[in-house]
Amino acid sequence: MSLFKRHPLNLTAAVIAGGAAGVISGLVKLGWENVLPPRTEERDATNPPQTLLEQFGVPKTVTHATYHYSGHELPWVSYVIHFGFSTTFAVLYQIIGEKIPAVKKDAGTWFGLAIWVAFHLGIMPAMGTVPAAKDQPKTEHVSEALGHIVWMVTNDLVGAEVYQRLIRQSQRK
């Protein structure tokens, strides 16, 4: 079996499939974090997306902006960053995975873990957005590692299904 696929990539289908998968997997990851919260309430008072934006000079009045739904105050700016991250990596995963199947090994499990390691143990601690990996609680590592697996497996399943449907649809025309 070749490392690279021989069929042409349908870039439009891959972007649409990755975008759809990113939105759905972003919802799954939010749900996951309700079951296994990665951070204490104190550390979540200013969550990592808010901290990152503040590091880039965005004022707290913007980073902590909320909307109200069903009696809850919800951080819409954090959601924009959350879903932006999710869809960006879902689209990249879909495009790269269509050309290099090894990326999709074990339904994206290893890709998801690699993203967790890169961002939660490397990039964000190096930027001071979150504490150093050794200073993060074990519960945070468990929640984030497992959450990134669930997130990427969702991307893999949804993205593959949408991509295949779009390819079949375009072949019928």
Side-chain angles (χ1 to χ4, degrees):
M1 181 174 131
S2 173
L3 178 63
F4 296 94
K5 287 190 178 177
R6 297 177 194 267
H7 64 77
L9 169 69
N10 182 323
L11 185 59
T12 301
V15 170
I16 292 168
V23 170
I24 293 168
S25 67
L27 290 167
V28 168
K29 183 74 162 65
L30 283 176
W32 178 268
E33 291 179 357
N34 279 313
V35 175
L36 291 178
R39 290 169 296 282
T40 63
E41 283 188 45
E42 181 184 339
R43 278 212 29 239
D44 241 359
T46 300
N47 62 40
Q50 292 165 326
T51 302
L52 179 66
L53 290 173
E54 289 170 12
Q55 288 174 307
F56 287 115
V58 177
K60 199 171 207 160
T61 55
V62 174
T63 64
H64 285 73
T66 60
Y67 68 97
H68 294 84
Y69 185 82
S70 192
H72 295 272
E73 206 171 326
L74 301 162
W76 72 266
V77 175
S78 296
Y79 292 158
V80 168
I81 300 300
H82 173 84
F83 284 103
F85 184 91
S86 183
T87 55
T88 297
F89 279 94
V91 168
L92 288 172
Y93 177 79
Q94 190 66 39
I95 292 169
I96 295 167
E98 287 302 320
K99 296 309 280 179
I100 307 171
V103 167
K104 291 188 170 189
K105 181 173 177 40
D106 297 326
T109 296
W110 302 109
F111 190 88
L113 283 172
I115 296 296
W116 168 64
V117 167
F119 282 87
H120 289 267
L121 305 183
I123 295 167
M124 290 195 305
M127 292 177 64
T129 307
V130 299
K134 67 179 180 47
D135 297 327
Q136 295 172 24
K138 285 181 181 43
T139 54
E140 184 168 348
H141 291 309
V142 169
S143 174
E144 290 291 2
L146 294 176
H148 277 74
I149 291 170
V150 170
W151 166 67
M152 195 49 66
V153 168
T154 303
N155 278 322
D156 185 78
L157 295 170
V158 173
E161 181 64 24
V162 173
Y163 185 78
Q164 288 307 313
R165 286 181 185 215
L166 291 170
I167 295 301
R168 286 193 302 269
Q169 184 180 26
S170 71
Q171 291 171 344
R172 283 187 229 134
K173 292 180 180 181

